[in-house]
C-alpha cells in the first residue's frame, strides 16, 4: 500500500509500505499490480469529475448489468464526492496487458470510467473501503461487509474472466489495433542511448522492463519485447541473477509480466532459455549493441583543476596535501552549517557545498571549475537555482568558497574551497571525518534532502538516538522523524533494542534508486543540459572570435580517472564517472 501524508491528495512511491493487519494512520491506497506484473482483481474507478454524479450512476448500473450477464460477482464502494469503485476479484491472476486491454475496452463504453490506474504498472493504485478521502469522510462500502467478504473469499473463476473477454472481444481488438497504429515515443528518441559505469541499459529498455509498455510498431509481441530487454541487459554486462532479482523484487514488473503466461514452475526455465539466446546474440553481434556511454559525459563546462595553471607550486600538485586541506574544509563546513536554517533554501545550499567538496576530492584540488549544470546534476537542483546559491555563498563574509575567476566561453566559474578565519583553528583541531562526502545520491532525489542529511549522519556516527540526530543535522524534529520513518520503511536504517538508529548496510541505495525510477529524471536532466550546451556552443561559434574564449583547455578533463564507489552511487558519478 501507499500512504498519503497530505490528506489523500497524493500517494508517492516513497511512502510505499507492506500491507499490515493494523489500519494505517494515514489515507492509504493499494497497488493494483504485484511484483510479478499481474493483478488479482480488476479495479474500476468511476470518476464524478469527468461527467458528473448522474453519469457515474448510469455507468455503474450499466456495468452491474454487464457483470451479472457474465456471471461475475463484485464488490462496490462509493466516495464522498460521488465517485464509485467496482472491484472484480479473480481466482486466477491476469497479466498487466490482459487487464489493461479489458479496462480500456470497457472504458470506451463508459465515459466516466478512469482507465489510467490499469495503464500504469508501477503506480496504479486504488483507495479501498475505509480509507479517508481528501475531501473529508471515507470510502464506504455500498453493500454489507459480510457480502463483500464472501465475494473476496470466493473470487470469479477463469470461465467468468473468459466470458467477460468474449463479450468485449470487439472493443479489445479495437484498442489493440489503436495501440498498433499509435507509436509509443520515449522521451529520448533521436539522442544516444544512456549507459552507466556498470554497463547500464538504455532508457528505452529500462522503461520497457519497468512498465511493460513498448512500441508495437517495433515489437509485434510481448515475446519480442522481452527478448529485446534481455539483449539490452546482456549487452550492458548484467548477469542472469541480476535480471532474476529485479523481477522478483518488483524493480522490473514489466518484464515479469511478460512471463506471467507461463506456470510459476516454468518461468525460471523460460527466462534462462531466453537469456542464453540473448547472450549468444550479443556475442555474435557485438557491434550492434555497443555504443558510447553518454550518461557520463558532462552536458556543460567540465571542471579543471587550478593545478594545471600553477605548475610551479608543488603544494598544489601534492594530492595528499590537497586532500588534507579538503578534509579540514569539511570540518569547517560542519562548524558553519548552523548558519543555514532548516529551510528549503538552507538545505539546498548545504548540498551545493557538499557537491563542491566531493568534486574537490575527485580532482585532488581545492580549486574546482564547474558549470552550474554540472552541480545541478550532482545536487538534483535546477541550474538556475544552483547559480543563485553559488552567488550567495561567494558573497558571504568568512565564507566557505571564494570566486577566483569568472567563467568565459565554455569555461565555468573557478572556485576555491576556503577555510574561514573565524573557524580555522577549531577546524584544524577537529578530527577529520571518516568516509566520503556526498552530494545527493540518486535515491534521495525521491526521499528528499532531509533524508539525505539524516542518512549521512548515521553513516558517520551509527547508533544515534533521534535527539542526537536532530542535534547533529540541525533539522527540525518533524523533518527528522519523517525521514527516519520513510527510510526505516525501505529498510535503509534500523533501530536496536536501545532505540538507537544505524544504517542497514545490506540495503543497496542503487537498487532503491532504480526501483523508484530516479534514472528517468536524471537522464531527462542530462538530455536537456546536453541540448542547451550544444546551442551555447553554436552561439559562441557565431559571436566569439577569440579561440581562447571559445574552447577551454580543460574542457575534456578526464573525470573518468575518478571513479566513485560502486554501490554508494552519487549524482556526480552519473555525470562524470568512468564509462564502461
Amino acid at each position: 500500500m501507499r500512504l498519503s501524508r497530505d490528506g489523500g491528495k497524493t500517494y508517492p512511491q516513497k511512502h510505499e509500505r507492506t500491507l499490515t493487519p493494523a489500519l494505517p494512520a494515514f489515507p492509504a491506497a493499494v497497488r493494483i499490480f504485484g511484483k510479478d506484473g499481474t493483478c488479482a482483481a480488476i479495479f474500476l474507478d468511476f470518476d464524478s469529475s469527468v461527467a458528473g454524479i448522474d453519469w457515474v450512476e448510469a455507468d455503474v448500473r450499466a456495468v452491474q448489468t454487464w457483470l451479472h450477464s457474465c456471471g461475475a460477482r463484485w464488490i462496490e464502494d462509493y466516495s464522498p464526492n460521488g465517485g464509485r469503485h467496482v472491484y472484480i476479484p479473480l481466482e486466477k491472476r491476469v497479466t498487466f496487458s490482459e487487464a489493461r486491454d479489458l479496462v480500456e475496452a470497457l472504458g470506451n463504453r463508459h465515459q466516466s470510467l478512469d482507465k489510467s490506474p490499469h495503464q500504469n504498472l508501477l503506480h496504479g493504485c486504488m483507495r479501498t473501503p475505509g480509507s479517508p478521502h481528501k475531501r473529508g469522510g471515507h470510502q464506504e462500502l455500498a453493500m454489507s461487509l459480510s457480502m463483500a467478504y464472501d465475494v473476496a473469499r470466493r473470487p470469479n473463476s477463469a470461465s467468468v474472466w473468459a466470458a467477460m473477454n468474449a463479450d468485449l472481444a470487439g472493443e479489445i481488438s479495437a484498442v489493440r489495433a489503436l495501440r498498433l497504429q499509435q507509436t509509443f515515443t520515449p522521451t529520448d528518441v533521436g539522442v544516444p542511448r544512456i549507459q552507466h559505469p556498470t554497463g547500464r541499459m538504455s532508457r528505452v529498455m529500462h522503461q520497457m522492463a519497468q512498465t511493460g509498455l513498448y512500441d508495437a510498431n517495433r515489437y509485434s509481441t510481448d515475446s519480442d519485447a522481452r527478448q529485446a530487454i534481455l539483449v539490452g541487459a546482456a549487452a550492458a554486462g548484467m548477469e542472469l541473477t541480476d535480471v532474476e532479482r529485479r523481477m522478483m523484487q518488483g524493480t522490473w514488473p514489466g518484464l515479469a509480466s511478460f512471463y506471467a503466461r507461463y506456470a510459476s514452475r516454468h518461468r525460471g526455465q523460460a527466462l534462462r532459455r531466453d537469456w542464453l539466446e540473448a547472450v549468444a546474440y550479443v556475442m555474435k553481434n557485438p557491434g550492434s549493441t555497443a555504443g558510447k556511454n553518454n550518461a557520463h559525459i558532462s552536458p556543460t563546462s567540465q571542471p579543471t583543476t587550478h593545478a594545471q595553471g600553477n605548475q610551479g607550486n608543488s603544494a598544489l600538485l601534492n594530492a595528499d596535501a590537497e586532500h588534507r586541506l579538503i578534509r579540514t574544509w569539511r570540518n569547517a563546513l560542519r562548524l558553519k552549517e548552523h548558519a543555514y536554517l532548516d529551510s528549503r533554501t538552507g538545505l539546498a545550499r548545504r548540498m551545493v557545498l557538499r557537491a563542491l567538496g566531493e568534486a574537490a576530492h575527485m580532482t585532488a584540488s581545492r580549486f574546482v571549475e564547474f558549470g552550474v549544470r554540472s552541480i545541478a546534476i550532482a545536487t538534483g537542483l535546477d541550474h538556475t537555482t544552483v547559480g543563485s546559491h553559488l552567488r550567495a555563498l561567494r558573497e558571504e563574509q568568512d565564507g566557505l568558497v571564494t570566486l577566483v575567476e569568472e567563467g568565459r566561453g565554455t569555461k565555468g566559474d573557478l572556485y576555491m574551497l576556503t577555510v574561514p578565519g573565524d573557524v580555522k583553528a577549531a577546524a584544524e583541531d577537529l578530527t577529520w571525518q571518516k568516509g566520503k562526502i556526498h552530494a545527493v545520491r540518486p535515491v534521495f532525489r525521491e526521499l528528499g534532502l532531509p533524508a539525505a542529511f539524516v542518512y549521512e549522519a548515521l553513516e558517520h556516527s551509527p547508533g544515534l538516538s533521534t535527539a542526537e540526530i536532530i542535534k547533529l543535522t540541525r533539522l527540525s524534529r518533524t523533518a527528522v522523524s519523517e525521514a527516519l520513518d520513510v527510510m526505516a520503511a525501505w529498510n535503509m536504517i534500523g533501530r536496536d533494542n536501545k532505540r538507537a538508529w544505524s544504517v542497514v548496510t545490506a540495503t543497496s541505495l542503487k537498487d532503491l534508486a532504480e526501483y523508484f525510477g530516479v534514472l528517468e529524471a536524471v537522464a531527462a536532466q542530462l538530455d536537456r543540459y546536453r541540448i542547451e550546451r550544444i546551442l551555447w556552443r553554436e552561439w559562441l561559434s557565431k559571436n566569439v572570435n577569440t579561440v581562447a574564449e571559445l574552447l577551454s583547455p580543460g574542457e575534456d578533463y578526464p573525470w573518468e580517472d575518478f571513479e566513485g564507489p560502486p554501490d554508494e552511487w552519487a549524482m556526480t558519478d552519473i555525470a562524470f564517472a568512468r564509462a564502461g
Side-chain angles (χ1 to χ4, degrees):
M1 62 181 174
R2 290 187 181 177
L3 305 181
S4 174
R5 295 180 178 271
D6 55 10
K9 296 178 182 178
T10 60
Y11 295 84
Q13 187 179 20
K14 67 179 180 180
H15 293 318
E16 189 170 297
R17 303 287 188 273
T18 302
L19 281 169
T20 60
L23 286 174
F26 298 93
V30 299
R31 285 271 302 274
I32 294 176
F33 296 99
K35 292 181 179 180
D36 61 351
T38 66
C39 64
I42 299 298
F43 290 67
L44 303 180
D45 181 10
F46 295 90
D47 190 353
S48 60
S49 64
V50 174
I53 297 176
D54 292 340
W55 204 300
V56 166
E57 294 291 340
D59 282 346
V60 169
R61 283 195 296 271
V63 168
Q64 290 172 338
T65 302
W66 174 73
L67 289 172
H68 181 73
S69 69
C70 295
R73 307 168 74 237
W74 65 93
I75 300 171
E76 188 179 336
D77 68 14
Y78 59 90
S79 304
N81 66 350
R84 303 290 285 267
H85 292 168
V86 175
Y87 312 89
I88 311 168
L90 302 173
E91 188 176 65
K92 182 180 179 181
R93 299 180 70 90
V94 297
T95 67
F96 165 69
S97 57
E98 291 172 332
R100 179 191 60 188
D101 287 347
L102 184 135
V103 173
E104 287 184 351
L106 198 59
N108 289 341
R109 287 186 180 182
H110 307 289
Q111 182 179 348
S112 65
L113 177 57
D114 183 4
K115 297 173 284 188
S116 61
H118 274 275
Q119 291 174 322
N120 197 312
L121 190 60
L122 287 177
H123 303 294
C125 296
M126 186 78 76
R127 291 188 313 276
T128 54
S131 179
H133 194 272
K134 62 183 177 182
R135 295 186 180 179
H138 295 75
Q139 203 76 23
E140 296 187 35
L141 277 173
M143 58 206 308
S144 69
L145 178 60
S146 59
M147 185 181 296
Y149 175 73
D150 181 66
V151 174
R153 187 174 61 88
R154 296 187 294 124
N156 294 286
S157 65
S159 61
V160 173
W161 173 252
M164 293 165 60
N165 278 270
D167 190 75
L168 289 172
E171 287 93 337
I172 290 176
S173 297
V175 297
R176 287 176 177 171
L178 183 62
R179 198 174 298 123
L180 286 171
Q181 294 168 6
Q182 294 178 335
T183 302
F184 173 67
T185 306
T187 55
D188 66 345
V189 168
V191 299
R193 298 291 177 89
I194 298 173
Q195 297 177 342
H196 298 281
T198 54
R200 294 186 175 273
M201 297 161 59
S202 71
R203 290 176 60 200
V204 175
M205 293 298 107
H206 265 297
Q207 201 168 38
M208 288 167 56
Q210 291 172 352
T211 66
L213 299 174
Y214 55 87
D215 184 350
N217 290 323
R218 185 171 184 181
Y219 307 107
S220 57
T221 65
D222 288 358
S223 298
D224 291 344
R226 79 183 186 215
Q227 197 63 32
I229 295 170
L230 295 180
V231 169
M238 290 188 186
E239 297 181 1
L240 178 58
T241 52
D242 299 323
V243 176
E244 289 177 324
R245 177 174 54 81
R246 284 165 169 78
M247 290 173 62
M248 294 179 64
Q249 293 180 350
T251 304
W252 285 359
L255 180 59
S257 71
F258 293 150
Y259 285 94
R261 60 184 289 262
Y262 295 100
S264 299
R265 63 181 182 276
H266 297 314
R267 290 175 191 172
Q269 298 173 3
L271 174 62
R272 181 178 178 81
R273 181 185 64 247
D274 291 345
W275 179 257
L276 293 175
E277 292 179 1
V279 171
Y281 178 84
V282 173
M283 292 178 66
K284 292 179 181 177
N285 305 274
S288 64
T289 54
K292 189 175 182 181
N293 190 334
N294 293 300
H296 297 274
I297 298 177
S298 172
T300 183
S301 305
Q302 299 284 359
T304 61
T305 62
H306 198 266
Q308 291 174 324
N310 294 270
Q311 300 295 330
N313 192 330
S314 59
L316 289 180
L317 294 176
N318 188 323
D320 290 337
E322 285 299 279
H323 281 301
R324 287 196 292 270
L325 184 142
I326 296 166
R327 289 193 175 276
T328 302
W329 178 85
R330 287 171 58 180
N331 286 344
L333 174 60
R334 290 162 56 194
L335 294 170
K336 298 276 286 187
E337 274 193 314
H338 67 276
Y340 305 108
L341 300 177
D342 178 16
S343 64
R344 180 176 297 182
T345 300
L347 295 180
R349 205 156 289 175
R350 289 165 67 177
M351 196 54 72
V352 168
L353 287 168
R354 279 163 171 73
L356 291 173
E358 185 176 17
H361 271 309
M362 291 169 72
T363 57
S365 172
R366 76 192 77 178
F367 296 93
V368 289
E369 183 182 37
F370 273 106
V372 291
R373 288 169 177 79
S374 295
I375 302 177
I377 295 168
T379 58
L381 302 171
D382 184 76
H383 68 282
T384 57
T385 303
V386 169
S388 65
H389 288 316
L390 286 173
R391 287 191 294 272
L393 288 169
R394 70 197 190 198
E395 291 171 1
E396 289 180 355
Q397 185 175 3
D398 288 326
L400 290 158
V401 295
T402 302
L403 178 65
V404 177
E405 181 181 327
E406 290 189 355
R408 293 182 305 158
T410 58
K411 295 176 64 176
D413 293 335
L414 179 64
Y415 286 95
M416 179 178 68
L417 303 188
T418 307
V419 179
D422 59 338
V423 296
K424 184 173 183 180
E428 291 175 344
D429 290 339
L430 274 178
T431 302
W432 287 336
Q433 197 170 45
K434 295 181 179 179
K436 297 177 179 291
I437 183 171
H438 291 287
V440 175
R441 284 168 282 192
V443 68
F444 295 110
R445 281 200 175 198
E446 175 69 21
L447 302 183
L449 292 182
F453 288 116
V454 171
Y455 192 88
E456 175 190 77
L458 293 175
E459 277 185 311
H460 294 304
S461 305
L464 296 177
S465 67
T466 302
E468 290 170 330
I469 295 171
I470 294 171
K471 181 179 179 181
L472 194 62
T473 60
R474 308 187 199 282
L475 299 173
S476 69
R477 177 172 291 276
T478 300
V480 169
S481 297
E482 182 169 341
L484 291 172
D485 180 44
V486 169
M487 290 192 291
W490 290 101
N491 198 38
M492 297 168 63
I493 58 175
R495 203 180 223 181
D496 60 22
N497 53 12
K498 295 182 179 179
R499 302 186 68 77
W501 295 96
S502 297
V503 168
V504 177
T505 55
T507 300
S508 169
L509 301 188
K510 181 171 62 177
D511 290 346
L512 279 177
E514 186 176 355
Y515 181 75
F516 285 140
V518 176
L519 295 182
E520 294 298 311
V522 177
Q525 189 177 20
L526 282 164
D527 288 345
R528 179 161 59 92
Y529 289 164
R530 185 177 297 114
I531 293 171
E532 290 176 2
R533 189 181 185 211
I534 292 171
L535 295 175
W536 176 238
R537 281 176 168 276
E538 290 179 352
W539 186 91
L540 287 174
S541 65
K542 296 175 182 177
N543 296 276
V544 177
N545 297 321
T546 306
V547 175
E549 291 183 351
L550 178 60
L551 296 177
S552 167
E555 191 170 352
D556 294 321
Y557 188 82
W559 279 93
E560 65 272 11
D561 292 342
F562 306 97
E563 186 174 358
D567 199 48
E568 296 179 355
W569 195 40
M571 284 297 154
T572 42
D573 298 321
I574 291 178
F576 308 121
R578 176 180 299 172

